[in-house]
Amino acid sequence: MNSAPVNDLPESRRLDDVNRPGMTGDVYSGSRESMDSTLDNTRSADWADRERERDEARKLRLREEQLDVSKNKVQTGEVNVRKEIVEEQKTINVPVSHEEIVIERRSVNNDSTAEPVGADETIRIPVSEEQVEVNKNTVVTGEVDVHKREIQETEQVKDTVKREEARVDKTGNVKVNNNSEVLRDHSRTR
């Protein structure tokens, strides 16, 4: 190819070299300094693009698992409240009174009487007593109120999650500037 400096060639020769088969590029008619600075700017822009692409290719994305907790309401049971009749024996002591006939016999002084023996004579005495009469009355003794309430509790959920961490393995005497806590040095000297 053409290895001679561009500025050392006559003007017509420079154009001939560019138009020669196998040669590509632009004809530059400026001074060598301005051409070098243009080439440097083009090279540095290309180099920066290539470095940026290489940096992106070198990025290591770290991932981790996270717990995603959701709650579902499920029926755990049912409560039926109903009335049931229970029978029991009750005993109540009630004071009652009744009458009794008392017959007492006394001796008398043998007084004489005009009444003949065997005459009908009857004494009637009515006797009474209290009897217990039982009636049943229905009364309200209480009330049952049935409702639901929501109780907040804390339940612990445990599971194993994974995460990725970057590890730096060094071989030989390599210095790495590591300011991040994510990177941990697991060096092996070989």
Side-chain angles (χ1 to χ4, degrees):
M1 299 266 169
N2 187 4
S3 62
V6 176
N7 284 340
D8 293 346
L9 297 175
E11 185 67 33
S12 61
R13 169 85 180 169
R14 281 190 244 160
L15 291 176
D16 289 341
D17 284 344
V18 171
N19 294 325
R20 203 174 50 197
M23 296 299 289
T24 58
D26 295 331
V27 175
Y28 185 76
S29 60
S31 67
R32 175 148 182 94
E33 292 79 24
S34 62
M35 185 178 86
D36 288 342
S37 67
T38 303
L39 287 176
D40 286 343
N41 288 340
T42 305
R43 283 186 191 137
S44 63
D46 289 343
W47 181 81
D49 287 343
R50 282 194 303 268
E51 282 299 311
R52 197 173 304 114
E53 288 173 8
R54 194 176 311 133
D55 285 347
E56 285 198 15
R58 290 181 182 170
K59 285 184 183 173
L60 181 64
R61 293 196 173 182
L62 304 176
R63 296 177 297 271
E64 73 176 12
E65 295 177 333
Q66 294 182 343
L67 296 178
D68 183 17
V69 178
S70 62
K71 298 186 290 187
N72 296 322
K73 199 167 236 183
V74 296
Q75 182 173 341
T76 58
E78 185 176 84
V79 174
N80 294 323
V81 179
R82 61 185 176 81
K83 295 192 297 185
E84 182 179 285
I85 297 173
V86 179
E87 291 185 4
E88 65 177 295
Q89 286 290 332
K90 280 260 189 187
T91 303
I92 300 174
N93 294 325
V94 180
V96 290
S97 62
H98 66 275
E99 296 174 334
E100 289 182 346
I101 301 296
V102 178
I103 300 174
E104 294 178 359
R105 206 169 187 153
R106 275 180 253 161
S107 56
V108 277
N109 298 345
N110 289 328
D111 291 338
S112 66
T113 181
E115 289 186 33
V117 174
D120 261 350
E121 201 174 321
T122 306
I123 300 175
R124 289 182 189 244
I125 302 173
V127 177
S128 65
E129 70 175 2
E130 292 179 331
Q131 289 186 346
V132 177
E133 183 180 315
V134 179
N135 293 314
K136 296 180 186 177
N137 296 323
T138 305
V139 295
V140 177
T141 59
E143 188 175 75
V144 176
D145 184 20
V146 180
H147 62 278
K148 293 192 305 185
R149 68 178 174 188
E150 194 164 300
I151 307 296
Q152 288 288 332
E153 294 178 337
T154 301
E155 187 172 320
Q156 255 187 5
V157 177
K158 291 184 181 182
D159 202 351
T160 303
V161 293
K162 299 175 187 173
R163 76 168 179 263
E164 298 172 338
E165 290 184 355
R167 302 282 194 241
V168 177
D169 294 326
K170 296 187 288 187
T171 305
N173 189 12
V174 177
K175 292 185 180 180
V176 176
N177 184 2
N178 177 14
N179 293 333
S180 175
E181 291 181 15
V182 175
L183 296 175
R184 295 199 176 103
D185 191 2
H186 294 276
S187 300
R188 286 180 283 225
T189 308
R190 293 183 186 154

